[in-house]
């Protein structure tokens, strides 16, 4: 079947994060004081069910929260042992957690790529597209297939192994699945660059594109605050040093801007009417089969309600 070109899909909001922070919730006590659910025993992975809700333990940052202020609300601790870490502790790779019929990898390709074509007429599995990669500032052609798909990979902005060593062991299984599939923590990028990053944090790895580094570490801060994760002192200092170079950098959120003007609701479709036919509600409007507008009204010579121009 030939590839079919479809308009770029509108992102469906996945139910991963809760309502926005209040300003007061940025306090350290608010992040550190929440009681985390017990971690699953190492190597024991519960079976997901269709009724499971994958949500973060905290709300996302409030709109227009500065990343530097949010960083100061994230606890600073030493790195915990990696004991018990396995990718399966965060659920199967790229499952469909939001139930939209499309797995997370393809959701992210649909969000981040342009000029998209699909494998079938269903606008889900991406066959090809173009990525404007923020990590490298390069334009990368994506072509689905053996030996070509890995040219574009989906990066966990906060690597899952890093998260495991900085608080994720204390999250519930469902919360870890949420972290692994949250669009806030995911970015399509150049495959070799993603592999080079590995599980590095901001103290050991930053995107080659220096113009994107402030936005990158601000996103890590948002993710760590939302998922009750901490930073090491070296990581805190590296992030703080970068954010000092871009004062006012906002902490990203995966919710729409609440202050943005709302698009007006579409006008209801007019009923199709027969010109000259009797009608019952004065002032009602309809359209003929050719699209001409008619109104239910009387005339100077006829007091009966009819569809008239």
């Amino acid at each position: 079947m030939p590839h079919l070109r479809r308009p770029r899909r509108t992102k469906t909001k996945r139910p991963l994060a809760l309502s926005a922070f209040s300003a007061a919730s940025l306090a350290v006590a608010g992040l550190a004081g929440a009681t985390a659910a017990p971690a699953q025993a190492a190597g024991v992975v519960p079976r997901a069910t269709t009724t499971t809700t994958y949500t973060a333990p905290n709300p996302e940052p409030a709109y227009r929260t500065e990343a530097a202020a949010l960083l100061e609300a994230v606890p600073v601790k030493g790195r915990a042992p990696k004991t018990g870490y396995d990718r399966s502790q965060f659920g199967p790779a790229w499952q469909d957690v939001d139930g939209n019929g499309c797995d997370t990898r393809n959701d992210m390709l649909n969000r981040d790529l342009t000029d998209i074509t699909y494998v079938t007429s269903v606008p889900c599995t991406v066959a090809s597209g173009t990525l404007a990669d923020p990590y490298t500032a390069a334009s990368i052609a994506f072509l689905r297939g053996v030996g070509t798909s890995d040219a574009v990979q989906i990066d966990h902005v906060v690597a899952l192994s890093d998260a495991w060593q900085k608080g994720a062991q204390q999250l519930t299984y469902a919360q870890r699945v949420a972290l692994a599939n949250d669009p806030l923590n995911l970015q399509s990028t150049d495959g070799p660059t993603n592999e080079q990053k590995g599980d590095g944090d901001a103290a050991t790895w930053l995107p080659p594109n220096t113009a994107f580094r402030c936005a990158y570490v601000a996103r890590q801060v948002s993710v760590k605050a939302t998922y009750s994760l901490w930073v090491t002192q070296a990581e805190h200092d590296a992030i703080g040093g970068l954010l000092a170079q871009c004062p006012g950098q906002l902490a990203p959120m995966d919710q729409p801007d609440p202050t943005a003007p709302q698009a007006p609701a579409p006008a209801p479709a007019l009923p199709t009417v027969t010109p000259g036919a009797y009608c019952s509600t004065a002032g009602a409007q309809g359209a003929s089969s050719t699209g001409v507008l008619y109104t239910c009204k009387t005339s100077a010579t006829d007091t009966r309600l009819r569809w008239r121009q």
Side-chain angles (χ1 to χ4, degrees):
M1 177 180 294
H3 293 163
L4 302 176
R5 189 172 296 278
R6 291 283 184 267
R8 195 176 182 190
R9 297 167 69 242
T10 300
K11 183 178 75 172
T12 302
K13 179 72 183 78
R14 60 178 70 243
L16 292 174
L18 308 177
S19 60
F21 274 130
S22 66
S25 70
L26 297 178
V28 174
L31 290 171
T35 301
Q40 298 293 335
V44 178
V45 179
R47 180 172 298 176
T49 68
T50 55
T51 58
T52 301
T53 300
Y54 302 103
T55 56
N58 298 314
E60 286 187 348
Y63 176 64
R64 297 199 66 80
T65 296
E66 291 193 8
L70 185 59
L71 174 64
E72 297 312 309
V74 176
V76 178
K77 300 182 184 180
R79 184 185 295 270
K82 194 175 178 179
T83 306
Y85 170 73
D86 187 86
R87 174 61 177 85
S88 62
Q89 291 284 357
F90 294 81
W94 310 137
Q95 60 190 100
D96 178 17
V97 296
D98 60 1
N100 69 348
C102 195
D103 65 72
T104 301
R105 172 175 165 81
N106 280 289
D107 281 342
M108 294 303 96
L109 292 176
N110 275 286
R111 183 194 69 180
D112 297 338
L113 272 59
T114 57
D115 302 321
I116 295 173
T117 66
Y118 296 98
V119 170
T120 69
S121 59
V122 177
C124 172
T125 304
V126 176
S128 65
T130 303
L131 172 68
D133 180 23
Y135 287 11
T136 63
S139 178
I140 302 172
F142 171 77
L143 179 64
R144 180 181 177 83
V146 177
T148 59
S149 289
D150 282 349
V152 173
Q153 297 179 15
I154 311 300
D155 176 45
H156 287 100
V157 179
V158 172
L160 300 185
S161 173
D162 179 67
W164 180 260
Q165 297 170 78
K166 297 173 184 174
Q169 296 182 46
Q170 281 72 53
L171 299 179
T172 66
Y173 175 74
Q175 288 168 343
R176 292 198 296 269
V177 173
L179 171 61
N181 291 273
D182 193 336
L184 184 65
N185 192 35
L186 297 172
Q187 177 61 54
S188 303
T189 188
D190 170 59
T193 300
N194 185 47
E195 292 168 5
Q196 181 189 59
K197 171 186 173 178
D199 62 358
D201 61 19
T204 59
W205 188 91
L206 292 168
N209 178 17
T210 57
F212 185 67
R213 288 179 176 178
C214 280
Y216 174 79
V217 296
R219 198 158 160 189
Q220 288 189 325
V221 173
S222 286
V223 172
K224 294 213 167 189
T226 302
Y227 284 89
S228 295
L229 307 178
W230 65 76
V231 294
T232 63
Q233 188 64 58
E235 183 182 4
H236 175 277
D237 294 347
I239 294 174
L242 277 169
L243 293 177
Q245 301 174 28
C246 44
Q249 176 74 46
L250 298 181
M253 54 189 294
D254 196 43
Q255 301 284 350
D257 177 356
T259 66
Q262 300 296 313
L270 294 176
T272 300
V273 301
T274 302
Y278 292 114
C279 53
S280 58
T281 305
Q285 292 189 313
S288 69
S289 58
T290 60
V292 177
L293 181 66
Y294 285 83
T295 303
C296 182
K297 59 184 179 180
T298 60
S299 71
T301 59
D302 185 359
T303 60
R304 293 170 293 184
L305 292 170
R306 295 177 183 266
W307 290 111
R308 311 173 193 268
Q309 283 186 284

